[in-house]
Amino acid sequence: MAGNSSAPGASVASKVLALLEAFDEDHRRLSLTTLAQRAGLPVPTAHRLVAELVGWGALARVESGEYVVGRRLWDLGLLAPHQAGLVEIASPFLQDLHAATRSTLHLAVRDGLEVLYLDRLRGHASVPVVSTVGSRLPLHATGVGKVLLAHAPADVQAQALARLTRVTPYTVVAPGTLRRQLDRVVAEGYATTSEEMSLGACSVGVPVRRGDEVVAAVGIVVPSLRRDRAHPMAALEVAARGIGRSLG
């Protein structure tokens, strides 16, 4: 919680930041009352500032009456040097990969215990895909997410393994099983999922390295791993290496 934003002398900017800080991965939708409480603000003050934030696009009000983070904050986030540079550098490699595979492609990074999708190229096959640019999905249920989790710090892995949620009947929620999968990801250099995020969709993810550090992941969504994994794997790895080399 933001805490002292209602203290005497608190600036308008600090109050606005407290409202934005009230959102986190466990609090994605907040009522006005809860938003005010978490920001440490009186409800009338929160109501006035939230209305301005909605008008500007920093927050949005959904059908339930609750508030969520607005798309304009995501647009601003893309201007941050790291993410903007990564998307720009990766773009030609993803375009070439898309031309070769005609499949849905993802560029993603880890954001806490979630995978954040920075870019997506839609494929030609009718495969169900739930990700969009700017969306966040569970690390353990996606190909790019498993890559990023496998190379995450030990404390991040421990937190993720302690809170596995089932998205489909095929989502891996046994910590021991996922741990063995993550070990294989490190050893083999790629991760796979089979209908773990959405039924009818499988994925393969590979790491993007800058030197020895895994900074992102590139993934492809296909209808079947048995039939479709071999062909795009080499192209995925070539694209990931190209992106990594271009990052310097």
Side-chain angles (χ1 to χ4, degrees), residues 4 19 53 59 74 76 125 143 147 167 183-184 196 231 243:
N4 297 321
L19 287 167
L53 289 170
L59 297 180
W74 163 254
L76 280 177
V147 167
V167 185
D183 290 342
R184 286 200 300 272
E196 295 172 43
H231 169 61
I243 296 168

Side-chain angles (χ1 to χ4, degrees), residues 19-32 34-35 38 58-71 73-74 109-117 132 134-140 163 165 197:
L19 287 167
L20 297 177
E21 192 181 29
F23 294 90
D24 59 30
E25 61 188 30
D26 296 318
H27 300 87
R28 298 172 178 272
R29 295 182 174 217
L30 297 173
S31 67
L32 178 63
T34 303
L35 188 51
R38 288 181 56 78
L59 297 180
R61 192 178 186 189
V62 295
E63 291 183 1
S64 66
E66 296 172 304
Y67 295 91
V68 298
V69 173
R71 182 59 181 263
L73 284 184
W74 163 254
V109 295
R110 182 176 64 84
D111 184 16
L113 298 179
E114 296 174 308
V115 54
L116 170 62
Y117 289 85
T132 58
S135 65
R136 290 170 169 82
L137 295 176
L139 286 167
H140 68 283
R163 49 185 298 178
T165 55
M197 190 67 234

Side-chain angles (χ1 to χ4, degrees), residues 144-157:
V144 287
K146 286 185 181 182
V147 167
L148 296 166
L149 183 57
H151 294 279
D155 61 325
V156 173
Q157 293 186 358

Side-chain angles (χ1 to χ4, degrees), residues 48-114:
R48 174 175 57 83
L49 294 176
V50 165
E52 293 186 30
L53 289 170
V54 170
W56 186 79
L59 297 180
R61 192 178 186 189
V62 295
E63 291 183 1
S64 66
E66 296 172 304
Y67 295 91
V68 298
V69 173
R71 182 59 181 263
R72 194 160 183 184
L73 284 184
W74 163 254
D75 293 337
L76 280 177
L78 285 178
L79 299 178
H82 174 70
Q83 291 188 4
L86 177 56
V87 173
E88 183 177 0
I89 287 171
S91 179
F93 297 98
L94 294 180
Q95 293 290 344
D96 288 346
L97 182 60
H98 188 258
T101 64
R102 302 174 65 83
S103 298
T104 296
L105 304 175
H106 292 132
L107 174 69
V109 295
R110 182 176 64 84
D111 184 16
L113 298 179
E114 296 174 308

Side-chain angles (χ1 to χ4, degrees), residues 170-227:
Y170 304 103
T171 308
V172 177
V173 293
T177 301
L178 184 58
R179 170 62 69 185
R180 289 189 292 272
Q181 288 188 354
L182 297 180
D183 290 342
R184 286 200 300 272
V185 171
V186 174
E188 298 174 355
Y190 67 92
T192 63
T193 64
S194 183
E195 299 188 285
E196 295 172 43
M197 190 67 234
S198 58
L199 296 178
C202 302
S203 65
V204 182
V206 298
V208 174
R209 300 178 185 273
R210 182 169 52 196
D212 295 330
E213 180 188 8
V214 172
V215 296
V218 175
I220 188 169
V221 180
V222 293
S224 168
L225 287 179
R226 181 176 300 177
R227 184 177 67 249

